[in-house]
Amino acid sequence: MRAKVVIFPVKGRNWCFSTSVQPLLSDSAASLTPSTFKDLFAKISFSNPKPFAYNAELLVDFVANKMNNAWMGLEKAPDGTFKSKIHGLGIRLLARVKPSELFLKSIPKEVTNVEITYPSSLNPRLVRRRLRHIASRGTIIHKKYFYGSVSLLPLTTAFTVLPLPNIPFFWVLFRTYSHWRALQGSEQLLQLVSDCSQETESDVSKHNVKNSLNTPWVLRPSKELEELLRRGDDRDGLGKCAISDICKKYDLNTHAVLKYRDSM
């Protein structure tokens, strides 16, 4: 699987890191996440045990799928209802999640190639260095917050005695899953972009799309992205119209890009 990473400055020293993951033709189809406990039990075979990591991954995906379905149910709740208010609270909490976490979560462990698109005016070594930095920093931060969230889970279960939905438990459970996914993504990305780290600047500039299937990473300078940035440059950072055009061109999440621009 190949991850297409788009990197560009949005405001001062704030850079945007966003992905568009596309499977290669040679990749085998990913196994579907079980939707019921019966399907989950069938995939976790005790007569022919699977590796512990595989079973743990399957269980986490199953729980995440259940949480996602419950969240979609809250979205459809009529305005003014208790479920609608819970959904509004969740939106406000999700707005506090940093865009770098969303970026690292979007890197699946199946990724074997990273194609990095960036404005042609930027130094390719600087681009790769900053990508390595955000991946390295993510391994430290999200490992710490993952263990912290896990330690809070037993405490939040005490709220189950109340006759209301245990919102603290489900929020901490979601944050545990989110930090774990971000940790996995940061470790995978760091491994990919750190390969061949001893190459010189001339060696870096020689990487192109032709050998992208043989190397774990490839740099692609884009004059079109450079032109979009030049036209949308503003004193307060990249304008919303320019961000919208870039997101449409490279299939990016506009909300996440705006969070990069507005973050300090």
Side-chain angles (χ1 to χ4, degrees):
M1 178 180 287
R2 177 188 306 161
K4 299 182 67 175
V5 179
V6 182
I7 302 174
F8 56 93
V10 289
K11 183 180 180 182
R13 295 185 178 182
N14 288 356
W15 284 22
C16 172
F17 300 82
S18 191
T19 58
S20 175
V21 179
Q22 297 179 346
L24 296 174
L25 295 177
S26 58
D27 290 345
S28 58
S31 58
L32 297 176
T33 302
S35 57
T36 63
F37 284 102
K38 182 178 180 180
D39 295 337
L40 178 65
F41 186 80
K43 288 198 173 185
I44 302 179
S45 174
F46 294 100
S47 59
N48 183 22
K50 302 287 180 67
F52 174 79
Y54 172 83
N55 287 334
E57 180 88 13
L58 199 63
L59 179 60
V60 169
D61 288 341
F62 175 77
V63 173
N65 186 52
K66 290 295 184 182
M67 293 176 62
N68 185 55
N69 291 337
W71 177 255
M72 289 189 295
L74 293 177
E75 286 182 333
K76 299 176 182 178
D79 294 338
T81 61
F82 183 70
K83 288 185 177 181
S84 177
K85 293 179 180 179
I86 293 179
H87 179 259
L89 175 61
I91 291 295
R92 291 192 293 272
L93 291 174
L94 289 174
R96 302 173 59 184
V97 177
K98 293 184 177 180
S100 58
E101 181 178 329
L102 302 177
F103 165 67
L104 294 172
K105 283 173 59 178
S106 67
I107 305 292
K109 61 183 180 61
E110 296 86 4
V111 165
T112 55
N113 301 89
V114 179
E115 181 180 310
I116 308 166
T117 302
Y118 62 96
S120 56
S121 62
L122 295 181
N123 186 310
R125 295 194 71 181
L126 176 61
V127 171
R128 184 163 169 251
R129 189 182 304 121
R130 291 201 63 166
L131 186 59
R132 266 206 313 265
H133 173 74
I134 193 174
S136 176
R137 189 168 179 266
T139 59
I140 299 173
I141 292 178
H142 293 293
K143 180 179 291 185
K144 178 179 69 174
Y145 283 118
F146 169 71
Y147 288 121
S149 298
V150 170
S151 65
L152 289 176
L153 282 174
L155 299 177
T156 55
T157 55
F159 292 99
T160 55
V161 298
L162 300 177
L164 297 173
N166 194 345
I167 298 177
F169 171 78
F170 287 107
W171 172 249
V172 173
L173 181 63
F174 166 73
R175 297 304 294 142
T176 303
Y177 169 78
S178 185
H179 287 304
W180 182 64
R181 282 299 188 195
L183 175 61
Q184 282 193 321
S186 59
E187 291 176 343
Q188 183 68 13
L189 181 61
L190 182 62
Q191 179 183 354
L192 292 175
V193 298
S194 295
D195 287 346
C196 311
S197 59
Q198 300 299 321
E199 293 184 354
T200 64
E201 182 172 355
S202 60
D203 294 329
V204 171
S205 62
K206 290 179 182 178
H207 275 80
N208 52 52
V209 181
K210 293 182 181 179
N211 62 6
S212 61
L213 296 177
N214 301 320
T215 58
W217 55 271
V218 58
L219 292 166
R220 174 184 283 183
S222 173
K223 293 183 178 179
E224 185 175 6
L225 179 56
E226 176 69 27
E227 178 63 21
L228 289 172
L229 291 175
R230 187 189 63 81
R231 288 186 299 180
D233 192 16
D234 194 2
R235 184 173 59 181
D236 296 328
L238 201 60
K240 288 187 178 181
C241 292
I243 290 177
S244 179
D245 292 339
I246 293 173
C247 292
K248 290 179 181 179
K249 172 64 180 178
Y250 296 98
D251 194 22
L252 307 179
N253 187 321
T254 305
H255 178 68
V257 177
L258 289 172
K259 291 184 71 173
Y260 273 109
R261 189 196 65 173
D262 299 334
S263 62
M264 298 300 294

